[in-house]
Amino acid sequence: METVLYTIENPDGPLTENDLKAVHACGDIIKRGGLVAFPTETVYGLGGDALNESSSARIYEAKGRPSDNPLIVHICDLEDLRLITEDIPEEAYVLAGRYWPGPLTMILKASDAVPRKTTGGLDTVAVRMPANAVALEFIRASGGYIAAPSANLSGKPSPTKAVFVMEDMRGRIDAVIDGGTNEIGLESTIVDLSGDRPMILRPGFITADDLSDALGTKVITDPAILDPNCKERPKAPGMRYRHYAPKGEVIPVKGSPEEVLGYIKGELSAARNAGKRTGVICCMENASEYDADVIRSAGALDDAKAAAHIFYSALRDMDDENIDIIYVENFTDLGFGEALWNRLLKSAGSRVLELQTKS
Ligand code: AMP
Ligand code: MG
C-alpha cells in the first residue's frame, strides 16, 4: 500500500483552501474504512472510523497492538458524546467545560453504538476532543468519531512529528497528515469516570491538582503506574505493556542534581571504555558537562514542559545513532512532571537508578 503524505500549510489555523481539500480527502478515506494518521496537540494519532469494527481491527494490525488494549475515540462536538456513551455523570460535563478541546481523555460507560473491537472488549469507552485545528476538521470530515491510538508501532516511542509516523507506518496505512511538531509531546491525561470516584489512569498535561480543583474533590492517580515496585496491575490495559522504548537501554537516574551529574559522567566513561555508544537526555545547564555520542537537552530540571516536548524525539534520535545506553536525568516529578516520569519508567522497563542522597 502506498502511504500518501498531505502537508498542511497553516496547521494552527485557519486552514487554507488546500488544507481543507487535503483534510476532506482524508475524511473520505476514513469513511471508506481506511486509516489516516493526523496531528493533535499531544502526539500523532492513527485514525480509523471508531464505529466501524473492521477499521478498528485494521488499527490494531497496522500498529502490531494487542487487541485487548482499547482505542481512544476522538470527537469534535460535545453533543456527539451522547451516541457513544450512557449514564454520563455530571463530572464529565464539568471537565469537558473546562478542558475540552484539550489533552484530557475520559473513560465513560459505552453505548451499543461503539463496537467492542474499539473498546478492546470493555463496556467502557475512552473519549477525547483534541485541541488542534487540523484534528477537529479531520474528525468532522470523517463523520465525527475517530478511533485513534498513538501512530507508532506498538512498543516504540509515540511520534511527535510526521516523519516519525512515516518511519513506522509507511506502507501500512493510507495517508499521513503533516501538521508540524505536536505542541505538548506526551499523550493525554486519562481519567476514569465510570467508577465510584474519579481516578487518573494515565498522567498527562492536565494534572491531578487541575482535576481536583475542577471537581472540588481529591482525584487520585492509579497507584500502580508511578511506583515501579507496586504489585498491583495498572487499570488502563495500555499501561501494563512495556512502551515508548528505543532499542538502547534507558537508565533514569534519580538523586540530587550534583550526584546525578557526577554519577552519569562516571558511567559514560565506563560505558565508552566498554565499547558502547552512549546517549544522555539532560537539562540545558548540564548539556556541556557530558561527553557522550548523543546529547539531547531541554529546559531547566524543573521544566517538565520543555523536557516532555523533546522526550520522544530524543529517544528516536538515539535509535538513529545506534545508541546502546541512554542516561536520563530526573526532571521534576511534580505536576506535569509526573506524566514525564511515568513515560520514562515505561521506556526503561520500570528500572530506575536511585542514588542515595548523602545528608
Ligand atoms: P494510546 O491511544 O496509544 O495513547 O493508548 C490509549 C490508552 O488508553 C491505553 O493505555 C488504553 O489502555 C487506555 N484506554 C482506552 N480505553 C480505555 C478504557 N475503556 N478503560 C481503560 N483504559 C482505556
Ligand atoms: Mg500509545
Side-chain angles (χ1 to χ4, degrees):
M1 171 192 297
E2 195 205 340
T3 303
V4 182
L5 180 67
Y6 291 95
T7 303
I8 297 297
E9 294 170 340
N10 195 24
D12 298 330
L15 300 184
T16 66
E17 216 162 287
N18 285 338
D19 293 344
L20 288 170
K21 235 191 250 169
V23 170
H24 289 187
C26 290
D28 289 340
I29 294 174
I30 296 291
K31 286 179 175 164
R32 291 197 299 268
L35 302 185
V36 177
F38 64 101
T40 74
E41 79 281 36
T42 58
V43 299
Y44 273 79
L46 172 51
D49 180 353
L51 305 186
N52 176 347
E53 69 173 358
S54 62
S55 297
S56 292
R58 285 195 60 199
I59 292 176
Y60 292 109
E61 196 187 322
K63 272 186 70 100
R65 177 170 172 126
S67 58
D68 64 348
N69 186 4
L71 310 175
I72 294 174
V73 179
H74 293 69
I75 60 174
C76 59
D77 190 334
L78 189 56
E79 284 292 302
D80 295 341
L81 202 53
R82 293 228 183 97
L83 175 73
I84 54 172
T85 58
E86 273 174 12
D87 306 336
I88 306 172
E90 187 51 34
E91 287 111 320
Y93 289 110
V94 173
L95 294 182
R98 195 175 292 200
Y99 292 115
W100 278 5
L104 180 69
T105 297
M106 298 191 230
I107 308 288
L108 299 164
K109 223 167 132 189
S111 75
D112 291 341
V114 192
R116 290 316 186 247
K117 195 84 205 161
T118 303
T119 67
L122 299 175
D123 289 329
T124 52
V125 60
V127 194
R128 158 167 129 84
M129 191 192 294
N132 178 288
V134 179
L136 291 170
E137 188 62 36
F138 168 60
I139 296 165
R140 194 165 296 118
S142 304
Y145 299 94
I146 290 286
S150 49
N152 51 288
L153 284 173
S154 196
K156 293 239 295 176
S158 302
T160 51
K161 293 178 192 174
V163 286
F164 298 148
V165 178
M166 273 298 200
E167 255 172 44
D168 282 14
M169 291 298 156
R170 192 192 289 275
R172 292 173 165 262
I173 63 176
D174 300 277
V176 175
I177 307 176
D178 183 350
T181 302
N182 307 120
E183 201 183 316
I184 295 177
L186 286 192
E187 304 79 357
S188 59
T189 305
I190 300 179
V191 62
D192 186 358
L193 298 179
S194 69
D196 294 339
R197 56 179 296 194
M199 184 189 277
I200 293 178
L201 305 190
R202 177 174 73 184
F205 190 77
I206 294 170
T207 64
D209 283 349
D210 293 334
L211 297 179
S212 303
D213 183 53
L215 296 178
T217 173
K218 188 162 169 53
V219 176
I220 57 161
T221 301
D222 179 358
I225 58 172
L226 296 175
D227 176 3
N229 303 314
C230 184
K231 295 284 179 286
E232 266 178 61
R233 262 156 57 99
K235 292 182 179 56
M239 304 306 281
R240 292 172 199 152
Y241 300 101
R242 176 141 192 244
H243 237 118
Y244 320 122
K247 290 186 218 112
E249 186 184 0
V250 176
I251 304 188
V253 184
K254 209 171 176 172
S256 73
E258 304 73 41
E259 281 174 320
V260 169
L261 180 66
Y263 177 83
I264 295 179
K265 275 179 161 181
E267 288 299 295
L268 285 173
S269 65
R272 284 204 131 174
N273 290 340
K276 289 187 177 166
R277 285 182 59 74
T278 55
V280 180
I281 300 175
C282 62
C283 67
M284 207 166 50
E285 297 86 329
N286 288 353
S288 58
E289 298 275 345
Y290 294 120
D291 182 15
D293 294 298
V294 176
I295 297 172
R296 285 294 308 266
S297 72
L301 271 181
D302 62 357
D303 187 354
K305 215 167 160 183
H309 193 70
I310 61 125
F311 182 60
Y312 288 137
S313 71
L315 292 182
R316 283 185 180 255
D317 289 349
M318 300 290 172
D319 272 357
D320 287 346
E321 296 289 331
N322 294 313
I323 299 300
D324 302 303
I325 189 154
I326 305 152
Y327 293 94
V328 188
E329 292 184 347
N330 70 295
F331 286 84
T332 180
D333 52 5
L334 301 175
F336 178 42
E338 197 172 76
L340 181 64
W341 178 242
N342 162 258
R343 305 311 192 275
L344 181 53
L345 279 183
K346 304 265 4 154
S347 71
S350 287
R351 289 179 307 265
V352 181
L353 212 136
E354 206 144 344
L355 301 172
Q356 291 298 324
T357 304
K358 292 175 208 96
S359 52

